[in-house]
Amino acid sequence: MASSSEPLPGTSDLWEPEVGDWVALEAAARRVFGAYGYGELRTPIFERTDVFVRSIGDETEVVQKEMYTFEDRGGRSLTLRPEGTAGVIRAVANSGLNQGDEKRVFYMGPMFRGERPAAGRRRQFHQIGVEAVGPRDPVIDAECIAMFVQFLDEIGVTGSRVMLNTRGLGEDRAQVNAALRAFFAPRAAEMCEDCQRRLDTNVLRMLDCKNEACQAIVVDAPKMIDLVCDESRAFFASVCSSLDQLGVDYELAPRLVRGLDYYIHTVFEVTHSGLGAQDALAGGGRYLIVPPGANKPVDGVGFATGMERLLMARQSLGLAQTARPEADVYVVSLGETSVAPGLALAQEIRRSDLGLRVRAETSGRSMKAQMRTANRLGARLVLIQGESELAAGEVVCKNMASSEQVSVPRAGALAWLRTNA
Ligand code: AMP
């Protein structure tokens, strides 16, 4: 049995040096998305349940099986956010969006889904996502995909594939559903139980069933592009030509529909071979969502990428962060009266522009015990002050790698660190 100090399955504690990788990813996202005029938005981690159910759709895997839903003391049903788009749309609607305005936002943070944990599949995972809310314009879809491709370039993730398809408009649904039902009905007996139910409730969902037997049938299903109306076809052609103009490589994925109900027109997924079975690095598309309390739907386009998956892709390319020592410098203080001057010296280094991580002795232990601590922390540089050094206004400086040791005037300690760091 798992010990009670272990994190729950599908969740994890995040330590250095991996935290450094996460911070670098977040910084790259802020830089790239900022360059396209997207601003950061932080929405609550939990929302009223209907915020998600209404926009994601009640026949979806996420809503049916994966949401962490609970009642608060007032008996309201609340849910830990399983994805970012629904909350962003609620927030944008709440802040007011005028006709014709475009609001560009990005977000990053934890999402929660009660899935069966596996490599690359977590119950608490972290997404970075963007939404361009407002105009329904195919050029924005293409620019959004191009932006993600640039982001991947900047974080060194090469070898990804952009898979692209259309879901058509809401008005196409009846025709699409009828054609898919006609195709699947005679084959339903060979498909999984979920798909047999979906045949009546939400036939589109049958296209992205992960079951192997179902997949074997899905490969021959009609292509979305052949089922949608002329307007949808023209919109998709325009997305493709904009991507061509922006120099983005993509592949057509005629049966990609993505799991959530709110999509219209463009859907895309980015995959990476370094990820194994869960090979999706990002997914997104154009959507139409009625915000809570509103009666008119809002248009938008966006994507979300999994931070754990981005880091796995980087790792598969040999780009993971190497371990960093806990401290670069250790200040040894010999004798109780030298502890306070030692701490003062440490403060001076921390306030300087050297950017070094400094730990200092706090209790005046033996030289041997302090050097052991310096080694355990991985400190490359050690500064030593005993009572005689204090009296003489000097510091003994030791470079642990070369074992070189010199005595310098107290005022020269920072200069010595600068040349040895
Ligand atoms: P989705 O909204 O399901 O398409 O998710 C978008 C991206 O988030 C996926 O492409 C993955 O990179 C990531 N993701 C989704 N679910 C999980 C999960 N359970 N664990 C880790 N990453 C996930």
Side-chain angles (χ1 to χ4, degrees), residues 148 164 203 207 211 262 274 276 292 296 332 335 364 371 384 389 419:
F148 183 63
L164 189 68
V203 66
L207 291 177
N211 183 299
Y262 51 48
K296 272 209 332 245
V332 170
M371 289 309 281
I384 306 163
E389 282 79 21
T419 50

Side-chain angles (χ1 to χ4, degrees), residues 6-333:
E6 269 178 37
L8 289 166
T11 71
S12 44
D13 301 315
L14 197 61
W15 290 87
E16 295 267 14
E18 285 97 311
V19 168
D21 275 328
W22 286 64
V23 171
L25 273 193
E26 290 164 358
R30 289 195 168 94
R31 193 173 60 246
V32 175
F33 303 159
Y36 285 76
Y38 287 76
E40 185 162 355
L41 173 64
R42 302 186 185 192
T43 63
I45 303 285
F46 59 90
E47 301 264 2
R48 279 187 300 277
T49 300
D50 68 301
V51 169
F52 303 113
V53 174
R54 285 185 39 182
S55 59
I56 298 171
D58 36 14
E59 246 312 301
T60 57
E61 290 278 294
V62 169
V63 167
Q64 288 215 331
K65 300 188 189 158
E66 299 171 357
M67 293 207 306
Y68 284 101
T69 296
F70 57 98
E71 258 185 27
D72 73 358
R73 289 181 190 198
R76 270 183 311 189
S77 178
L78 306 178
T79 295
L80 297 183
R81 62 184 191 191
E83 57 97 62
T85 305
V88 168
I89 295 302
R90 182 202 49 69
V92 169
N94 186 49
S95 77
L97 184 71
N98 295 323
Q99 187 76 31
D101 277 1
E102 186 186 350
K103 191 108 190 157
R104 295 188 163 198
V105 299
F106 70 87
Y107 58 85
M108 48 186 77
M111 305 292 162
F112 304 86
R113 294 183 196 171
E115 300 190 74
R116 198 166 44 76
R121 203 197 298 125
R122 324 276 308 153
R123 289 183 171 165
Q124 173 173 336
F125 58 102
H126 299 77
Q127 286 186 335
I128 303 180
V130 312
E131 314 292 349
V133 187
R136 186 182 298 182
D137 180 343
V139 176
I140 305 178
D141 301 25
E143 199 194 40
C144 187
I145 296 172
M147 177 169 80
F148 183 63
V149 169
Q150 180 181 338
F151 172 66
L152 289 181
D153 276 352
E154 297 215 2
I155 61 168
V157 173
T158 51
S160 64
R161 295 165 64 192
V162 176
M163 319 298 291
L164 189 68
N165 195 21
T166 178
R167 284 262 299 244
L169 282 162
E171 295 86 301
D172 296 330
R173 280 289 142 93
Q175 190 175 321
V176 168
N177 287 354
L180 291 176
R181 251 186 223 116
F183 171 80
F184 282 122
R187 300 164 172 87
E190 300 152 53
M191 300 181 77
C192 74
E193 256 175 48
D194 279 341
C195 278
Q196 294 183 12
R197 184 172 45 79
R198 289 174 186 137
L199 186 64
D200 295 320
T201 55
N202 196 339
V203 66
L204 208 58
R205 287 284 81 75
M206 295 175 80
L207 291 177
D208 51 24
C209 182
K210 299 285 180 290
N211 183 299
E212 257 178 50
C214 300
Q215 275 297 315
I217 293 170
V218 165
V219 290
D220 295 320
K223 298 178 178 181
M224 291 298 288
I225 192 76
D226 295 331
L227 305 177
V228 299
C229 67
D230 289 348
E231 182 187 340
S232 297
R233 257 200 287 269
F235 191 98
F236 189 61
S238 187
V239 173
C240 293
S241 69
S242 297
L243 282 171
D244 293 337
Q245 279 159 17
L246 290 168
V248 174
D249 288 332
Y250 59 90
E251 296 166 44
L252 299 179
R255 293 169 196 91
L256 173 72
V257 288
R258 298 201 23 82
L260 316 181
D261 272 359
Y262 51 48
Y263 289 110
I264 58 163
H265 287 315
T266 321
V267 282
F268 65 95
E269 226 160 63
V270 181
T271 61
H272 194 273
S273 59
L275 295 180
Q278 308 295 326
D279 68 348
L281 207 47
R286 176 158 285 282
Y287 50 80
L288 196 57
I289 295 178
V290 182
N295 41 29
K296 272 209 332 245
V298 174
D299 271 277
V301 61
F303 63 78
T305 179
M307 294 184 71
E308 287 85 354
R309 305 255 179 110
L310 290 171
L311 292 170
M312 282 169 73
R314 273 173 55 83
Q315 209 159 26
S316 75
L317 296 163
L319 295 171
Q321 186 103 359
T322 50
R324 251 199 340 166
E326 285 179 53
D328 304 304
V329 180
Y330 193 82
V331 178
V332 170
S333 297

